[in-house]
């Protein structure tokens, strides 16, 4: 993929976070944005590294994770195309990345200058307040996700994940391709890999889904919804 300034502007214009910017501000930000390509399992940044950019995934997937003292990996989030990440770091007192970021597969993303973006916000109070409103909405989504991880069991978390992925693909033909390795999904949902496999097997025996390798076909979307509703 080759991107000139005009194409970058067009991409940024369609990202919710940047609807707060006018055309001149968008052009300034696009000029401070570059394309990054990563191979499978290639690191984007490491925990503690100075945070000079935040990112927008164009294709592929990025895994955000922390390592325990024993070297165990805990996946914090899986970033899919169209999603922005690491933007909150620019507002932290110590501007370093709090997690590691690695490509799950071949990935293309935009690296956006935090310095330029914060300068744009400082120069316009209206733009700054609009952006704060957008960030607040994202915070509420994360709080809901924390509730799901802490208050509900493994089946609820996995079924909710499958429903969300299926909805994002196509509700009329609700199937999804698990491009993310199952052990990464398990870590993301705070589920042991063997537990994830058992849940998938049980859902398959109940004729709610059909599993063929990494491909999952949702046979009974409403049945999965009822399963989730019954565990709230």
């Amino acid at each position: 993929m080759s991107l000139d300034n005009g194409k970058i502007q067009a991409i940024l214009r369609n990202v919710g976070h940047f609807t707060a910017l006018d055309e001149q501000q968008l052009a300034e930000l696009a000029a401070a944005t570059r394309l990054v390509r990563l191979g499978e399992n290639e690191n984007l940044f490491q925990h503690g590294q100075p945070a000079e950019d935040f990112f927008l995934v164009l294709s592929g997937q990025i895994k955000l994770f922390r390592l325990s003292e024993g070297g165990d990996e805990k996946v914090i989030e899986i970033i899919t195309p169209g999603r922005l990440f690491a933007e909150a770091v620019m507002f932290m007192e110590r501007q370093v990345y709090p997690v590691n970021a690695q490509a799950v597969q071949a990935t293309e993303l935009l690296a956006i200058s935090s310095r330029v973006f914060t300068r744009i916000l400082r120069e316009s109070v209206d733009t700054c307040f609009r952006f704060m409103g957008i960030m607040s909405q994202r915070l509420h989504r994360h709080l809901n996700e924390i509730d799901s991880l802490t208050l509900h069991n493994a089946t609820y978390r996995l079924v909710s994940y499958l429903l969300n992925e299926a909805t994002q693909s196509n509700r009329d033909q609700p199937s999804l391709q698990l491009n993310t390795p199952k052990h990464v999904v398990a870590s993301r949902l705070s589920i042991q890999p063997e537990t994830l496999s058992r849940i998938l097997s049980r859902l398959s025996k109940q004729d709610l889904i059909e599993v063929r390798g990494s491909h999952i076909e949702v046979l009974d979307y409403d049945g999965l919804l009822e399963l989730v509703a019954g565990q709230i």
Side-chain angles (χ1 to χ4, degrees):
M1 180 187 296
S2 177
L3 295 177
D4 57 24
N5 188 275
K7 290 181 180 178
I8 292 176
Q9 284 189 56
I11 292 171
L12 297 181
R13 188 178 293 111
N14 289 320
V15 177
H17 286 68
F18 303 127
T19 56
L21 276 59
D22 61 30
E23 288 302 309
Q24 180 180 346
Q25 292 168 334
L26 201 62
E28 291 178 20
L29 192 61
T33 299
R34 69 185 192 282
L35 179 66
V36 177
R37 292 185 176 92
L38 299 174
E40 183 178 349
N41 297 325
E42 185 174 353
N43 290 330
L44 175 62
F45 56 74
Q46 293 183 324
H47 176 211
Q49 179 180 330
E52 299 178 350
D53 301 294
F54 59 106
F55 304 91
L56 173 68
V57 176
L58 302 179
S59 64
Q61 292 181 335
I62 291 289
K63 173 180 65 176
L64 304 182
F65 66 99
R66 292 287 296 266
L67 294 175
S68 69
E69 292 183 0
D72 295 326
E73 180 181 289
K74 168 55 185 170
V75 176
I76 307 300
E77 193 163 8
I78 301 166
I79 311 297
T80 52
R83 293 187 57 194
L84 204 66
F85 67 98
E87 75 280 12
V89 182
M90 74 180 92
F91 304 110
M92 296 168 59
E93 182 177 356
R94 186 165 178 258
Q95 295 180 6
V96 298
Y97 296 116
V99 297
N100 304 288
Q102 184 182 80
V104 176
Q105 55 193 249
T107 299
E108 290 189 336
L109 61 164
L110 294 180
I112 306 162
S113 170
S114 298
R115 178 182 57 81
V116 172
F117 189 63
T118 53
R119 176 177 57 78
I120 289 172
L121 294 180
R122 287 192 184 100
E123 291 174 350
S124 173
V125 174
D126 289 340
T127 301
C128 185
F129 271 92
R130 287 196 296 269
F131 183 75
M132 287 172 60
I134 294 168
M135 291 289 289
S136 177
Q137 293 173 9
R138 183 171 181 181
L139 175 61
H140 282 293
R141 288 197 297 271
H142 279 297
L143 289 174
N144 290 335
E145 185 175 342
I146 291 171
D147 284 343
S148 174
L149 288 173
T150 56
L151 299 179
H152 300 293
N153 64 29
T155 299
Y156 177 96
R157 297 198 296 271
L158 178 56
V159 172
S160 295
Y161 174 83
L162 294 176
L163 287 171
N164 181 64
E165 294 297 308
T167 301
Q168 290 183 355
S169 57
N170 190 341
R171 172 69 188 271
D172 295 328
Q173 295 180 327
S175 63
L176 60 106
Q177 185 74 23
L178 273 182
N179 295 318
T180 308
K182 290 180 182 177
H183 73 276
V184 175
V185 175
S187 179
R188 175 69 186 87
L189 299 175
S190 297
I191 301 172
Q192 293 297 319
E194 56 271 21
T195 301
L196 183 142
S197 296
R198 285 198 298 269
I199 296 172
L200 288 176
S201 177
R202 185 168 69 248
L203 296 175
S204 181
K205 290 179 181 178
Q206 294 173 333
D207 294 325
L208 295 171
I209 63 173
E210 182 178 351
V211 181
R212 297 189 300 273
S214 64
H215 183 81
I216 297 177
E217 182 176 356
V218 178
L219 302 177
D220 188 350
Y221 190 95
D222 291 334
L224 289 178
L225 284 176
E226 290 177 5
L227 185 62
V228 169
Q231 298 185 54
I232 295 177

